Amino acid sequence: MSNSSQAQDPGHIAHVHARRVWDSRGRPTVEAEVTLARGRTSPAVFCGRAIVPAGASKGRREALELRDGGGRFGGLDVQRAVGHVNGEIARALVGMPAGDQAAIDARLIELDGTPNKQRLGANATLAVSMAAAQAAAAAAGRPLYEHLAHGLGAPGEALRLPLPQIQIFGGGAHAGRRVDIQDFMVLCPGAASFAQALEWTAEVYRHAGLLMRERGALAGVADEGGWWPAFDSNEQALSALVQAIERAGFAPGEQVAIVLDIAASDFGQGGRYRLGLEGRELTSDGLIELLLHWCERYPIASIEDPLAEDDLEAFARFTQAVGARVQVVGDDLLVSDAALVRAAADRGAANTVLLKPNQRGTLTETWQCWQAARAAGYAGIVSARSGETEDTTIVDLAIGWGVGQLKVGSFARGERMAKWNAALRIEERLGAAARFAGAAVLGRNLPRA
Ligand code: 2PG
Ligand code: MG
């Protein structure tokens, strides 16, 4: 991720500042600003700003998000993380050359000195890491996605708009556990462009809402903007989703397919899975059997975290069973960690990595995970968190790094739409040069030689 090849010197870091702002759940989070200066007398000044998101269904091995504890805001205040940016981090970074993201991130990692950012907080380090990238792009006079693509030394390679995964029903930890499965999403393998994928999804989302109103089951939206799922079983949500796709006028599977995030770590551990909505407990093999049954009955293109983060062997068994035709995604299992991706690939678990920068705490580590994933033959999805803001940095990562897929929640609420709309602007800006790879970017197990 070094940008050292760029022609113009981006200058040095002149100022680093953080403040507490608020996320989409009304909880405190960290915003950082990094200011660069170029030239000694009357220097040109460039500023980058970024806000970190927060998860609700987190993997155990994620980098630590530093919260203050105590009674204020349910213990979720971030004054300590903000203080670390304004104190130690600012002192360490001011004066550093601004163009070398890898060096800036290495300094943050070294300063924290723990394996999971538990001293300074991954929310402190990531806010600064992303703001530094934004500032360097501003100094280079380029949008961030272009700056990142340029830094990777692939000039001339056409940039690809990501295949979006968009939530229609929200469940699990994002909807009071009203259903056990966390995300019922769609993707549009039949769409010809990113813009068209959004148009199709808008219709599916609208029809899903109408369907629920008809059934007297419309109860607002969940944390990521998906309809709040008033269903009697998990499978009912699947059949309602197929119905919504059909009512919107699309062919299920070919034009619009289903994506699930089971988020199984949230209702299972030690090989036992408790489906609260259905009042039953399954073993790992029982859950695999249920999911395979759903894969046969419904047009499912992708499944995330089908088993829990502590159930690697079962994860591998599931991948072996469907990985040639269904994308199997590791989120809690892999927590955007390069070493965990390598270990999972060795066992044949998952064929796709979910990339969430705040699971690691710097852009460079997230980028390294994506490189490890590519080397293992995995596909990738850049993902938002359930607690989000107007920050759209991840859209630039998905496009600039050429990751191929993007997941930011539903087709409602400003913090989600800010990201879809940012990608639309990029598609328009790229014009004829914009590529949209569609279903070709989905992860698949290659036949073993
Ligand atoms: C996930 C994310 C986004 P959270 O599990 O993939 O849906 O949820 O940010 O709560 O971990
Ligand atoms: Mg997930």
Side-chain angles (χ1 to χ4, degrees):
M1 254 198 41
S2 165
N3 303 316
S4 50
S5 62
Q6 80 192 27
Q8 196 168 24
D9 170 25
H12 63 274
I13 296 178
H15 195 59
V16 179
H17 178 70
R19 64 177 66 86
R20 180 185 70 201
V21 294
W22 302 90
D23 75 11
S24 55
R25 285 191 273 245
R27 296 176 185 169
T29 189
V30 182
E31 173 173 88
E33 279 168 4
V34 170
T35 308
L36 312 182
R38 187 199 290 149
R40 295 235 169 98
T41 53
S42 64
V45 169
F46 304 95
C47 186
R49 188 172 66 205
I51 314 176
V52 293
S57 68
K58 292 193 212 160
R60 238 184 328 114
R61 287 167 288 207
E62 291 190 18
L64 183 104
E65 182 182 88
L66 191 63
R67 301 284 186 179
D68 294 350
R72 203 165 147 80
F73 310 130
L76 295 175
D77 210 353
V78 291
Q79 298 296 0
R80 281 197 295 156
V82 166
H84 288 153
V85 176
N86 291 334
E88 253 186 89
I89 292 177
R91 281 196 298 277
L93 295 193
V94 167
M96 276 189 84
D100 196 340
Q101 184 76 36
I104 292 168
D105 289 342
R107 189 80 188 91
L108 289 168
I109 293 163
E110 180 195 40
L111 198 63
D112 172 76
T114 72
N116 66 345
K117 315 283 185 308
Q118 80 183 51
R119 201 177 72 76
L120 296 175
N123 40 357
T125 57
L126 181 67
V128 173
S129 178
M130 294 200 300
Q134 294 282 6
R142 287 192 285 250
L144 180 59
Y145 69 91
E146 207 178 292
H147 182 66
L148 293 169
H150 183 90
L152 300 178
E157 198 184 303
L159 290 173
R160 199 165 55 175
L161 266 294
L163 180 69
Q165 296 198 344
I166 307 182
Q167 190 191 63
I168 305 298
F169 303 121
H174 304 160
R177 307 222 65 84
R178 183 59 184 77
V179 295
D180 303 291
I181 309 306
Q182 181 182 284
D183 291 310
F184 295 86
M185 299 173 278
V186 293
L187 57 80
C188 301
S193 66
F194 180 82
Q196 190 171 49
L198 293 194
E199 284 172 16
W200 290 9
T201 306
E203 288 293 40
V204 174
Y205 182 72
R206 188 170 68 84
H207 278 281
L210 290 172
L211 202 92
M212 289 177 77
R213 179 170 298 150
E214 268 170 37
R215 294 183 182 180
L218 191 64
V221 298
D223 276 11
E224 298 190 31
W227 301 115
W228 188 279
F231 296 111
D232 299 327
S233 74
N234 292 290
E235 193 168 346
Q236 243 182 39
L238 282 169
S239 58
L241 188 46
V242 171
Q243 226 183 326
I245 293 169
E246 284 169 343
R247 283 207 195 173
F250 300 110
E254 289 121 62
Q255 288 181 296
V256 181
I258 293 178
V259 177
L260 300 176
D261 182 359
I262 307 298
S265 307
D266 265 23
F267 60 87
Q269 60 176 7
R272 314 289 309 179
Y273 295 88
R274 168 105 201 127
L275 293 176
L277 178 61
E278 297 165 22
R280 57 183 176 143
E281 189 173 283
L282 299 173
T283 61
S284 307
D285 285 326
L287 181 57
I288 289 175
E289 203 180 307
L290 176 69
L291 297 178
L292 292 178
H293 173 69
W294 286 354
C295 286
E296 273 162 33
R297 292 201 59 185
Y298 301 95
I300 294 172
S302 179
I303 300 195
E304 182 177 325
D305 285 343
L307 293 126
E309 60 199 329
D310 68 352
D311 210 355
L312 186 65
E313 292 310 319
F315 212 119
R317 286 202 296 285
F318 179 75
T319 309
Q320 253 90 76
V322 293
R325 58 199 160 87
V326 176
Q327 171 168 272
V328 183
V329 185
D331 170 15
D332 294 345
L333 181 81
L334 305 173
V335 292
S336 307
D337 183 88
L340 290 176
V341 166
R342 284 185 209 106
D346 278 351
R347 309 298 273 270
N351 56 30
T352 301
V353 64
L354 203 74
L355 297 165
K356 293 169 164 169
N358 83 326
Q359 287 181 327
R360 293 273 56 83
T362 63
L363 288 186
T364 299
E365 289 161 285
T366 315
W367 159 250
Q368 285 165 345
C369 178
W370 172 225
Q371 293 315 292
R374 288 224 288 213
Y378 279 31
I381 307 167
V382 172
S383 172
R385 302 304 307 244
S386 48
E388 270 293 336
T389 70
E390 68 273 25
D391 188 284
T392 61
T393 306
I394 57 164
V395 176
D396 292 87
L397 302 183
I399 296 172
W401 288 351
V403 177
Q405 298 177 69
L406 180 65
K407 172 188 174 191
V408 310
S410 193
F411 211 65
R413 298 179 50 137
E415 79 279 5
R416 314 288 151 189
M417 303 320 289
K419 294 165 184 63
W420 300 133
N421 291 339
L424 271 182
R425 279 179 217 113
I426 296 174
E427 187 177 46
E428 186 184 277
R429 189 170 186 273
L430 291 172
R435 285 193 302 137
F436 179 66
V441 294
L442 291 173
R444 293 276 189 267
N445 284 18
L446 300 171
R448 288 183 187 243

